[in-house]
Amino acid sequence: MTCSDIGMIGLAVMGENLAVNMASKGYSVVGFDVDRKRARAFAEGQGKSSGIRVADSLSEMVDWLTPPRKIMMMIKAGTPVDETIDALLPLLTKGDVVIDGGNSHFPDTMRRTALLEKHGLLFIGTGVSGGEEGALTGPSIMPGGSPDAWPIVQPILTAIAAKTDDGFPCCEWVGENGAGHFVKMVHNGIEYGDIQLIAESYQLMRDRLGMTPAEIGATFQTWNQTELDSYLIGITADIFAFRDVDGSPLIDRILDVAGQKGTGKWTAISSFDEGVPLTLIGEAVYARFLSAMKDQRLLAAASYRHKIPRYRGDRVKYLEQLRCALYASKITSYAQGYALMTAAARTYGWNLNYGGIALIWRGGCIIRSAFLGKIKEAYVRNPQLLNLLLDPYFHESVKANDKSWRNIVADAVRCGVAVPSLASALHYLDGYVNAQSPANLIQAQRDYFGAHTYERTDRPRGESFHTNWTGHGGTTSSTTYNA
């Protein structure tokens, strides 16, 4: 029997909600899950009410699909994806499409795309952002992989995606092989940065200004009516307003240990591979590592007895400066993320639509915000933009907030409040706009101890020189290369 439009492998929260989303848009869906208990629960619950059938095996699911078959996996990244692909290969025929919607690492997606294409099949690795609610009501979708697969799955994916206010679907083809999962990885890295910036702002409100959860929540609610208008700022306001069963703020009872699933770490590692300074996102990842050292932090706190003094000045003025610092840092975070995508596109031959990516992120995803519209406009003005900080709008925005940003970082340093992402963003800006860095000394040192050579300011770029600094070091130089 062949009558279903698409199959969904994995009926946990994301998979079941995406399946229901597809069914609500008029598509016939068949589901499958290796966990038979979960499969039965779905079949008797959401599946039944949505008209979604659940197969007892992969082969049965494949038999129920209309060629060219379209099968989406929403399962744990890594080995489970490879095992599922291996099980599907003998069941599929030329032209069928397999979609991996999990948080797979982009090199794995590149490998899997080549493998399936070798067998005459098509593969898509797509980022899906928006969590449980987004999966059901409309996520942001970032597909990449086999280009020939896109026309086959485009109607379904664009139908279930979130829509911007002007009706644009937050789903657009990103590029070949691993491009979709790379863009999703960078999305998650930016998400790490945004969350850390908000957390640092929260600590300054709590420990420096002595604000209550209700006051902090109200402040974030106000900020959400400004340039900071975003999903993350909005939910932060909700979190501070939430009360535990006894009426006290729940936030005060949540242990200060942050978890992670690895995508932020992958983003930071990719920045090393591409030679792109992703300082803010890197610090956000390190901050989560440091938060996990709870027992050591308790010992250190008892040993150092560090106290954060209360701010005695104008709280309203301080909060406005903090808002400006947060916005300027956010601009820097996105500038770094886009710089990483630009570098990777050169490395892997992807033709990324940077303005289109901003639109994909405008709705459904975790980092959705009004701010992304400005990024779209920046790339419309200059599709070859080297860095968001060079765009006129963002250039003026950073300059307008510069003094407030520096005041907040300086105050945090003086008072002992850790603001690694707010500060690293500022240091990145200062390094980026510095025409004469101290790296000439670094290169002189490298040549002194390792004969690594250097270039000269009075000679054309590309020429290498070595100096016998001690008089007995010889004239032989090391090979010049960048790791």
Side-chain angles (χ1 to χ4, degrees), residues 237-382:
D238 292 344
I239 287 168
F240 282 100
F242 198 88
R243 295 291 181 266
D244 206 351
V245 291
D246 65 354
S248 60
L250 179 59
I251 186 66
D252 289 341
R253 291 179 177 167
I254 297 176
L255 186 68
D256 58 325
V257 174
Q260 57 184 308
K261 290 189 175 181
T263 48
K265 180 174 68 176
W266 290 346
T267 312
I269 291 171
S270 292
S271 75
F272 283 105
D273 292 337
E274 296 297 335
V276 174
L278 207 72
T279 55
L280 189 155
I281 293 170
E283 288 291 355
V285 176
Y286 288 135
R288 295 199 188 187
F289 292 160
L290 189 59
S291 78
M293 299 166 60
K294 178 67 175 179
D295 292 341
Q296 288 190 49
R297 288 192 290 112
L298 290 173
L299 288 173
S303 174
Y304 280 83
R305 299 185 182 279
H306 173 62
K307 298 292 184 182
I308 298 170
R310 283 283 187 267
Y311 182 70
R312 300 302 179 190
D314 186 333
R315 179 193 282 189
V316 173
K317 181 179 179 181
Y318 189 100
L319 285 172
E320 176 57 16
Q321 290 185 331
L322 181 56
R323 186 189 68 81
C324 293
L326 178 55
Y327 185 58
S329 298
K330 183 182 177 75
I331 292 172
T332 308
S333 177
Y334 282 73
Q336 292 181 3
Y338 267 79
L340 178 58
M341 288 192 289
T342 301
R346 289 194 299 266
T347 298
Y348 299 107
W350 298 331
N351 184 27
L352 300 183
N353 179 350
Y354 302 107
I357 290 169
L359 283 184
I360 292 174
W361 292 346
R362 276 291 303 277
C365 71
I366 303 302
I367 64 171
R368 61 184 183 267
S369 64
F371 163 89
L372 286 159
K374 297 298 183 181
I375 295 179
K376 167 65 175 177
E377 293 170 8
Y379 282 100
V380 168
R381 280 189 291 270
N382 181 6

Side-chain angles (χ1 to χ4, degrees), residues 102-264:
N103 273 332
S104 290
H105 200 193
F106 78 95
D108 291 335
T109 303
M110 297 173 74
R111 170 177 56 81
R112 290 163 185 155
T113 302
L115 171 66
L116 269 72
E117 289 180 347
K118 181 180 178 181
H119 285 80
L121 304 172
L122 302 174
F123 188 72
I124 286 180
T126 183
V128 178
S129 179
E132 177 182 357
E133 180 182 356
L136 183 63
T137 61
S140 172
I141 306 175
M142 298 151 257
S146 306
D148 289 344
W150 178 231
I152 300 172
V153 303
Q154 181 181 13
I156 298 177
L157 295 186
T158 54
I160 67 171
K163 306 297 187 293
T164 61
D165 292 340
D166 55 3
F168 180 88
C170 297
C171 173
E172 185 172 292
W173 183 250
V174 175
E176 298 81 1
N177 50 68
H181 272 137
F182 189 92
V183 169
K184 175 56 163 50
M185 179 192 74
V186 174
H187 163 283
N188 284 22
I190 293 173
E191 176 188 313
Y192 273 61
D194 274 1
I195 289 173
Q196 179 62 26
L197 290 170
I198 293 170
E200 291 173 14
S201 301
Y202 153 54
Q203 186 175 16
L204 284 167
M205 293 183 206
R206 183 191 67 190
D207 297 341
R208 182 73 171 120
L209 300 182
M211 295 171 64
T212 66
E215 291 172 328
I216 295 171
T219 299
F220 279 111
Q221 186 64 48
T222 299
W223 286 2
N224 207 35
Q225 312 305 313
T226 70
E227 301 98 322
L228 291 172
D229 175 15
S230 66
Y231 172 75
L232 283 171
I233 294 290
I235 68 167
T236 300
D238 292 344
I239 287 168
F240 282 100
F242 198 88
R243 295 291 181 266
D244 206 351
V245 291
D246 65 354
S248 60
L250 179 59
I251 186 66
D252 289 341
R253 291 179 177 167
I254 297 176
L255 186 68
D256 58 325
V257 174
Q260 57 184 308
K261 290 189 175 181
T263 48

